[in-house]
Amino acid sequence: MTESVLVTRALVPEAMRALDGRCELDLYEGPPEAIPRDELLRRAAGKDGLLTLLTEKVDAELLDAAGPQLKIVANHAVGFDNIDVPACTQRGVLVTNTPDVLTEATADLAWALILASVRRVAEGDRFLRSRQPWVWGPSMMLGHDMSRKTLGIAGCGRIGGAVARRATGFGMRLIYHDPIRLPSDVEQSLGLAWVEFDTLLAESDIISIHAPLTPDTRHLFDADAFAKMKPTAVLVNTARGPIVDEPALAEALRSGQIFAAGLDVYEREPAVEEALLDLDNVTLLPHLGSATIETRTAMGLLTVENLLAGLADRRPPSLLNPEALSRR
Ligand code: DGY
């Protein structure tokens, strides 16, 4: 019997080809917005597998709508804050994500935002496109040096570590805060020192966020946090939007409480806080962290591999809830 699968948005062609003939495919091909919730609930009914994106909320309601035959939710993202994993486990539904394959691309993009924010790259581009008259000047559009500055990593897993590795050439001091401290040999090899969160805020010239979104990290960067940062500091977020209180960030940037920010993710994604759109000292990208041809191909293929393994009652390579295996 062929297993049936709902895919909520077309993946890159190579990954779609890997699905060819391997299952009965129901592909959502609606407008560019995410699949509407009522359509998701309707089309999930009776499916053996769901291949979801970070835009779909996978909760008890969706799992119930899918039905007891559902074997696997294969998420096309490393982050899985869109999925109620305990609700899946309780129903014996496997959950997978796409770790490792996007680490380097996301770390690269964090650095793109760091440099763009510190050196006012996007602002300079916008300025020239405005066709205003200009001439080189000693005080024109000054940013900050990178060398000898302190880079703070908020949440230091795979991607945070890759961001730290890239700092070597800039001659920076590296500090991090994570509730789980890295083994000391890893700290040493990356040149990272663990600090309390308040120390990270007070001492960093640049803070790059690489924490997962959890109840503990929601609004970790709020008005209080910005008040503890240097007025020359830069904040970069390539993790999840709700870790930053966006209205509070807009106010900190507007008032000069911090120097600049670079954002790839948003609190109410895809909406962007209106106040940010009017500020020149924030660089805004549309969630491009993993958006390279190589990385999206690897993510797509890994998602399909996870999905097909789950459908065939094999253990998927990136299984998040092994306890679900014993409940099936
Ligand atoms: C993820 O994988 O969690 C990113 O946000 C999108 O690639």
Side-chain angles (χ1 to χ4, degrees), residues 21 26 65 99 157 268 300:
D26 179 9
R268 291 171 298 280

Side-chain angles (χ1 to χ4, degrees), residues 115-129:
L115 289 165
S117 308
V118 172
R119 298 301 304 273
R120 305 173 69 164
V121 173
E123 184 186 351
D125 181 82
R126 274 194 303 277
F127 171 73
L128 283 188
R129 288 171 199 274

Side-chain angles (χ1 to χ4, degrees), residues 54 75-81 98 102 106 159 238-240 264-265 287-291 295-296 299:
L54 52 86
N75 207 38
H76 181 264
V78 66
F80 51 91
D81 47 279
T98 61
L102 47 70
T106 309
I159 299 172
T238 53
R240 283 292 182 265
D264 189 40
V265 289
H287 206 145
L288 297 179
S290 61
T295 294
R296 284 289 164 80
M299 281 173 74

Side-chain angles (χ1 to χ4, degrees), residues 51-80:
L51 194 159
T52 52
L53 308 187
L54 52 86
T55 42
E56 279 78 60
K57 194 170 158 70
V58 179
D59 56 7
E61 183 188 35
L62 177 61
L63 298 170
D64 291 342
Q69 78 300 324
L70 182 67
K71 292 183 175 179
I72 178 161
V73 175
N75 207 38
H76 181 264
V78 66
F80 51 91

Side-chain angles (χ1 to χ4, degrees), residues 220-240:
L220 185 62
F221 287 84
D222 58 7
D224 282 351
F226 300 131
K228 292 175 184 158
M229 289 170 67
K230 298 181 184 181
T232 49
V234 161
L235 180 71
V236 164
N237 188 9
T238 53
R240 283 292 182 265

Side-chain angles (χ1 to χ4, degrees), residues 76-315:
H76 181 264
V78 66
F80 51 91
D81 47 279
N82 58 315
I83 300 182
D84 183 341
V85 179
C88 291
T89 307
Q90 204 190 4
R91 291 163 175 78
V93 175
L94 309 183
V95 182
T96 60
N97 67 340
T98 61
D100 300 317
V101 292
L102 47 70
T103 299
E104 306 301 329
T106 309
D108 289 345
L109 195 90
W111 271 97
L113 281 174
I114 290 172
L115 289 165
S117 308
V118 172
R119 298 301 304 273
R120 305 173 69 164
V121 173
E123 184 186 351
D125 181 82
R126 274 194 303 277
F127 171 73
L128 283 188
R129 288 171 199 274
S130 75
R131 295 177 167 78
Q132 292 176 55
W134 71 284
V135 63
W136 187 93
S139 303
M140 185 189 173
M141 221 172 262
L142 303 185
H144 290 280
D145 278 356
M146 298 287 296
S147 62
R148 296 179 301 282
K149 296 293 171 62
T150 297
L151 172 63
I153 312 263
C156 202
R158 285 175 286 249
I159 299 172
V163 168
R165 248 192 296 119
R166 282 160 174 71
T168 316
F170 288 96
M172 302 179 84
R173 170 182 174 235
L174 300 180
I175 57 179
Y176 78 102
H177 179 79
D178 193 296
I180 303 168
R181 232 183 126 149
L182 294 167
S184 57
D185 58 321
V186 177
E187 283 185 354
Q188 257 175 21
S189 72
L190 290 171
L192 273 168
W194 184 90
V195 293
E196 296 287 353
F197 184 59
D198 276 0
T199 308
L200 187 95
L201 294 174
E203 294 189 6
S204 298
D205 297 293
I206 297 152
I207 296 181
S208 193
I209 304 176
H210 300 289
L213 175 62
T214 66
D216 287 339
T217 62
R218 186 175 292 273
H219 282 195
L220 185 62
F221 287 84
D222 58 7
D224 282 351
F226 300 131
K228 292 175 184 158
M229 289 170 67
K230 298 181 184 181
T232 49
V234 161
L235 180 71
V236 164
N237 188 9
T238 53
R240 283 292 182 265
I243 298 174
V244 174
D245 178 341
E246 256 174 37
L249 173 64
E251 180 49 28
L253 289 166
R254 195 203 54 76
S255 65
Q257 196 166 38
I258 68 170
F259 179 69
L263 303 179
D264 189 40
V265 289
Y266 301 91
E267 200 178 341
R268 291 171 298 280
E269 206 169 304
V272 178
E273 172 72 22
E274 196 57 38
L276 290 173
L277 292 167
D278 293 327
L279 292 172
D280 251 336
N281 56 346
V282 58
T283 302
L284 304 168
L285 295 179
H287 206 145
L288 297 179
S290 61
T292 70
I293 293 168
E294 297 85 347
T295 294
R296 284 289 164 80
T297 302
M299 281 173 74
L301 291 175
L302 178 55
T303 311
V304 170
E305 189 184 348
N306 281 325
L307 176 80
L308 296 178
L311 293 177
D313 297 318
R314 286 183 282 108
R315 189 188 174 107

